[in-house]
Amino acid sequence: MKQPFLQSIKDRVLVLDGAMGTMLQQRGLKAGQSPEELNLTLPEVVAGVHQEYLDAGADIIVTNTFGGSREKLSHYGLEGKLAEINARGVEIARQVAGDRAYVAASMGPTGKFVEPVGDLTFDRMAAQFREQAEALVRAGADLITLETFLDIKEIRAAIIAIREVSAEIPIIAMLTFDDKGRTVLGTPPEAAAITLEAVGADIIGSNCGLGVEGIYEILSAMRRVSTLPLISQANAGLPVLKEGKTIFPATPDEMTAYHDRMLGLGVRIIGGCCGTTPAHIGAMKDALAGKNQALPDIASSGGTTWLSSRGGHTALGNGRPVAIIGERINPTGKKGFAAELREGKVSYIRREAMEQVIAGATLLDVNVGAPGIDEPAAMEQAVFCAAGAASVPLVLDSSNPEALERGLKSADGKVLINSVNGEEKSLGRILPLAKKYGAAVIGLTLDENGIPETAEARTAIAAKIADRAISLGIRRNDVIIDCLTLAVSAEQKRALETLAAIRRVKGQLGLNTVLGVSNISFGLPCRPLISSAFFAMAMEAGLDAAIINPKEQAMMDVWRSVMVLLNRDANAATYIDAYKGAVAASAGQVEAAPQDIRGILAKAVIDGDVENIVDHVEAALSQGLSPLEISNNGLLPGLEEVGRRFEKNIVFLPQVMLSAETMKTAFSRLKQEMQGMKLESLGRILMATVEGDIHDIGKNIVCTLLENHGFEVIDLGKNVPAARIVAEAKAHDVDAVGLSALMTTTMSEMETVVQQLRAAGVKTFTMVGGAVLTQDYATEIGADIYAKDAMEAVSKIKAIIGKIKGS
């Protein structure tokens, strides 16, 4: 009888099986057919693949249910058979595996993005995974493996949904990264690991996209922030075309070259993705024989609290620099901001998010509570905006559970809830939300009797909050205590009591601490003098995070100085960087706002300021600028700057898409001025996802960006036969044909399209792209252009067509 799965991976390294799609294709899977349908129509074929992997030595058999979500099955008209297809997939694997191997139920991405990048709400996305998970768990899967996810928000929704179905079933969570070490939406491995661990994954790692060397680098980064067991599921190298067939060149021996290093990292599951065969799996199993497979000692991060966003992560506590939580996104005392919230606008949030991060904030507090505001809706909108404008983690500041939950669903990573307190009502409403959505919490040292006068009493409340959180499964490091700052103008004796409480919470409870420092000076003149002095005292007492205005220079001057004196700024690097030169740099200095309307237009595009772009266009028109001048000298330079920042990893795809939406909104207004005018297109581009492939996310992004750059785009959609692509290319006399494929099983269809275009005498350039493609593969099939991402696609198309039209 098998051990419980999670116990088994502590005792030894397990081998997971290899590729399913290519194996099924070799056994009769037709182009454009659902692989999951074979669970019903040809179960013996699916069982045969499982048997080959089991015979090769696989300890884990993965079900043929990767595309078993309602969204995926609907492309084949199979959504009505969702429960049957998924249950049958588990049954087939179980019949083969018996007691010799574990059955891992595979769940893949839906092919859609979650709001605001895509059009699916969090709830709709979670419902997709909940429905599939119910069928898989009910059928008796030993564990669930989430594979080949591109969007941290989607996989986060998947884990939360699975945990609603089962709190116990082990979950493997894997994202796919590119050769720059980011997902397609810009998430680095560290942020991914923090987020996945927080929402309840048991094993984390990466599959697809990279060979074993690349996967090793990804897992090394994850290990720096997580102690969870890791999984490596690499491709058998990068694909090449040989004798008309797509092959993955890595040999079985090459796939085992990193075994020792993987074991040293704490990798407990090793398997294969695209191109791997039973021979590869057998070699992996053999290479483990005789090795010490004991679980290595993984260095703990001590008392560190890790927080994450889509594009970055932050650590606080454990002797690290005091985290700066920017407090400016708060309508209290800000009539203009409160008015914007009532009108559903986000300009203030976007501006303050960017400016506070430039000034030094490492987290952003988001508070939208004000009279007359739909706080849950405003919180959702604020989180979307702040997360899009800055890459630091967020602090959701509300006492409204509904608003907090909307914010938690909207978040991309592991956020900090501000706050819970010692009242039973607060503990019962807030802590379950933190557990479900994988958030850390700020615990206020007050209860039904108010704020205690003594440090001892506040410490007792802190202990109560921590104990209750831990009992729900929230990690101790994820409880951060606020010993509460009272206005010294009214409670002068209690300032020292707050400092004493910090020392007690740190020394006796070992918990990290936070303060809203600015409260200390309320009601006094020259507030920065009092606030900055108290800030220095609190940091010496053991403060780990401070809620302040980072644009207030006195506060940031004290912070940098104290970090040097407390030995939390190695070699005084941060201090020197801020104050080098003859004149001290202002901590709040931000990029000067452009004065010329062209610069204002460009900055609006760069910032993704959809809300105000039409007003800027109106201002430009009123100043006498022509629509073409507005476009060519204002809007397009902004989008080109976004492209440069994308290339340098300063911004990522969500920001690019927001800038594209801003451009689209501006062009919609300009079109009203250009009615009757003949507009010259940069070129006519036909775009399609090839036959057999139902993934169109990447293709859709390319279409949007091409249109924004002035191209006419003919989008044929997904699963498009070669004959139709050729016919449409002829009919529209296009300048280029762009082809997309995400699946290794459909890559070869690109070569068919290129050959048929040439055979039909269509003289046009061809461009190919997709997660599994390489430049070598594109060259081999005769494509003129290979683009690794949407921005490169636009850049290369502009260059090649511009060169032709200019000659």
Side-chain angles (χ1 to χ4, degrees), residues 568-734:
R568 296 191 188 184
D569 180 7
N571 301 315
T574 300
Y575 182 91
I576 292 170
D577 186 61
Y579 302 114
K580 61 188 174 185
V583 180
S586 168
Q589 184 177 351
V590 297
E591 183 179 340
Q595 300 301 313
D596 179 77
I597 189 61
R598 298 167 186 81
I600 291 172
L601 287 164
K603 188 174 188 303
V605 171
I606 293 167
D607 293 346
D609 189 2
V610 179
E611 191 172 271
N612 294 305
I613 189 64
V614 172
D615 289 341
H616 297 322
V617 170
E618 297 286 3
L621 290 169
S622 70
Q623 292 180 27
L625 273 70
S626 70
L628 288 179
E629 190 175 4
I630 291 171
S631 175
N632 295 337
N633 298 333
L635 301 173
L636 281 175
L639 196 58
E640 288 166 357
E641 175 60 23
V642 171
R644 285 189 285 271
R645 295 184 184 188
F646 179 83
E647 187 64 29
K648 295 178 180 178
N649 277 350
I650 298 172
V651 300
F652 301 96
L653 195 54
Q655 290 87 358
V656 171
M657 294 305 295
L658 187 58
S659 293
E661 180 64 24
T662 305
M663 285 282 290
K664 182 179 179 180
T665 302
F667 280 142
S668 294
R669 173 63 186 91
L670 289 177
K671 284 179 181 177
Q672 299 174 27
E673 301 296 320
M674 296 186 290
Q675 290 182 0
M677 295 174 58
K678 186 177 181 181
L679 300 178
E680 184 177 354
S681 167
L682 293 182
R684 188 178 296 120
I685 315 296
L686 184 143
M687 296 290 299
T689 299
V690 297
E691 187 174 17
D693 205 314
I694 60 172
H695 302 87
D696 62 354
I697 288 177
K699 183 262 299 173
N700 292 344
I701 293 168
V702 174
C703 290
T704 298
L705 295 181
L706 284 170
E707 288 176 339
N708 283 336
H709 278 270
F711 290 95
E712 179 185 348
V713 176
I714 301 159
D715 183 3
L716 300 185
K718 55 198 172 191
N719 194 20
V720 185
R724 185 184 172 205
I725 295 173
V726 172
E728 296 285 354
K730 278 184 173 182
H732 294 283
D733 189 25
V734 297

Side-chain angles (χ1 to χ4, degrees), residues 358-478:
I358 291 171
T362 51
L363 298 107
L364 291 174
D365 190 81
V366 178
N367 184 317
V368 292
I373 291 170
D374 180 348
E375 189 176 352
M379 179 64 81
E380 177 182 79
Q381 190 176 33
V383 169
F384 285 160
C385 178
S391 63
V392 301
L394 302 181
V395 180
L396 306 187
D397 189 352
S398 176
S399 58
N400 182 328
E402 185 181 352
L404 283 174
E405 187 159 23
R406 284 282 285 275
L408 289 163
K409 290 178 180 179
S410 306
D412 298 315
K414 179 183 176 184
V415 304
L416 178 59
I417 293 175
N418 185 11
S419 55
V420 67
N421 62 56
E423 296 183 43
E424 287 299 324
K425 181 179 179 181
S426 177
L427 293 167
R429 297 170 72 182
I430 305 303
L431 290 181
L433 289 176
K435 172 58 180 173
K436 178 177 180 178
Y437 294 99
V441 292
I442 292 175
L444 306 183
T445 52
L446 61 85
D447 58 17
E448 293 86 352
N449 298 315
I451 302 173
E453 292 190 6
T454 67
E456 293 88 345
R458 294 188 204 181
T459 305
I461 294 175
K464 176 183 177 181
I465 294 170
D467 289 345
R468 186 68 63 84
I470 293 166
S471 72
L472 289 176
I474 297 171
R475 294 171 180 82
R476 187 177 189 83
N477 292 354
D478 288 337

